Amino acid sequence: MKLNHVKIGIAPIAWTNDDMPDLGKENTFEQCISEMALAGYAGCEIGNQYPRDPEVLEKALKLRGLQICNAWFSTYFTRGQKAETIAKFIEHRDFLHALGAKVIGISEQGNSIQGTTLPIFDAKPVYTQAQWQTVIEGFEELAALAAEKGMKLGVHHHMGTGVQTEAEIDYLMEHTSNQVGLLYDCGHLYYSEGTQEAVMRVLEKHINRVVHVHLKDVRPAILEKVRCEKLSFLEGVRAGSFTVPSDGVISFEPIFACLAQHQYEGWMVVEAEQDPAKANPLEYAIKARTFIREKTGC
């Protein structure tokens, strides 16, 4: 199974966590990107300790043979903050463009509960028709702005948001143009839907809209704990709900096969947020990179 024209990256969230800055606060930017390179990755996403000066950041990455492939962007359309969201998006787009990135991953955070103490399985937002319309129109505008720079927009379906479930992803894809791409995350899909079948259905249905891929695995025993004890998303992360590919319940071979069959071109990024004090970032980065190389030849 060969994935031609695919690059393998990793997210810095294994070293330093943007949502919980105490996790990995001892890990420096230089340590993070040096260990990414040592583990054999070609690129990465952007974390909270990365320099914001494109020249400084690019120099540090080039010394290690790395490039930026994407960076998270939060939208706030459901809060009525359209003008502010668009202005910040343009600034974010131009920053990523200066670094050579081709994709901008976004998530609607206006009424998200992912960063709150609310139980992740019981309190997720469900969009009204008016909210769906607001979000869809906003995403279309951002996609057009991305296209101005030759970039693609990828909507990150995410736990605790209004675009989380299989049905919600389907609705978004059916009601947006092809300019609005999908950032496919098998870990969030399994977390939400609980089956390998759902993980594959979403990929197979929307493969032609996938512009970026996040690879993470999940530990089902921890998900059951999160559900039964009504834990928040962040409490689940601390408990170890996510891990790297090959270390959890998801079967990745069918995912790789589907991507290869449809000639996916782009990045596959290991993004498995864990407590680095419990899961050594370099050790887990190497574990994931070895697994991906064995299964895909990449």
Side-chain angles (χ1 to χ4, degrees), residues 9-16 27-51 54-69 99 281-282 285:
I10 191 166
I13 202 165
W15 284 264
T16 56
N27 295 324
T28 66
F29 161 67
E30 290 81 3
Q31 176 189 342
C32 174
I33 60 173
S34 293
E35 291 186 352
M36 288 173 172
L38 182 62
Y41 292 89
C44 60
E45 297 187 353
I46 293 178
N48 58 12
Q49 296 203 32
Y50 281 42
E55 291 186 9
V56 173
L57 176 53
E58 188 169 34
K59 180 179 179 180
L61 293 169
K62 279 188 173 180
L63 285 171
R64 296 161 175 85
L66 297 172
Q67 65 184 107
I68 294 297
C69 58
L99 292 163
L282 177 58

Side-chain angles (χ1 to χ4, degrees), residues 11-24:
I13 202 165
W15 284 264
T16 56
N17 193 295
D18 289 357
D19 297 319
M20 296 176 286
D22 63 299
L23 294 186

Side-chain angles (χ1 to χ4, degrees), residues 121-272:
F121 281 111
D122 297 338
K124 79 170 289 296
V126 177
Y127 292 158
T128 64
Q129 275 304 121
Q131 287 174 324
W132 267 119
Q133 192 62 30
T134 296
V135 169
I136 286 167
E137 289 176 359
F139 286 177
E140 292 283 8
E141 289 195 40
L142 298 188
L145 288 168
E148 288 179 0
K149 295 286 188 176
M151 302 173 76
K152 296 177 180 178
L153 190 80
V155 178
H156 189 340
H157 56 92
H158 199 288
M159 292 298 298
T161 74
V163 184
Q164 169 188 305
T165 67
E166 180 180 0
E168 289 165 344
I169 297 167
D170 289 348
Y171 187 91
L172 178 70
M173 293 291 94
E174 289 164 7
H175 291 82
T176 51
S177 70
N178 288 339
Q179 268 200 136
V180 177
L182 182 66
L183 191 163
Y184 174 79
D185 188 311
C186 54
H188 277 279
L189 260 174
Y190 193 97
Y191 200 131
S192 173
E193 307 301 279
T195 68
Q196 178 80 26
E197 290 75 16
V199 168
M200 292 309 303
R201 276 197 306 270
V202 169
L203 180 60
E204 289 163 355
K205 279 186 289 189
H206 305 301
I207 183 65
N208 292 329
R209 301 282 289 277
V210 173
V211 298
H212 200 66
V213 174
H214 278 173
L215 300 175
K216 62 163 68 77
D217 216 334
V218 297
R219 297 184 173 102
I222 304 298
L223 294 196
E224 187 61 21
K225 174 183 173 71
V226 170
R227 189 185 297 276
C228 292
E229 298 181 15
K230 299 187 180 299
L231 301 183
S232 70
F233 178 72
L234 298 183
E235 287 172 324
V237 170
R238 286 184 184 274
S241 53
F242 291 124
T243 184
V244 298
S246 79
D247 194 45
V249 70
I250 296 174
S251 176
F252 283 84
E253 289 87 343
I255 295 171
F256 296 147
C258 182
L259 292 169
Q261 178 185 350
H262 292 274
Q263 300 179 326
Y264 169 73
E265 296 183 5
W267 286 86
M268 297 196 305
V269 177
V270 174
E271 191 220 31

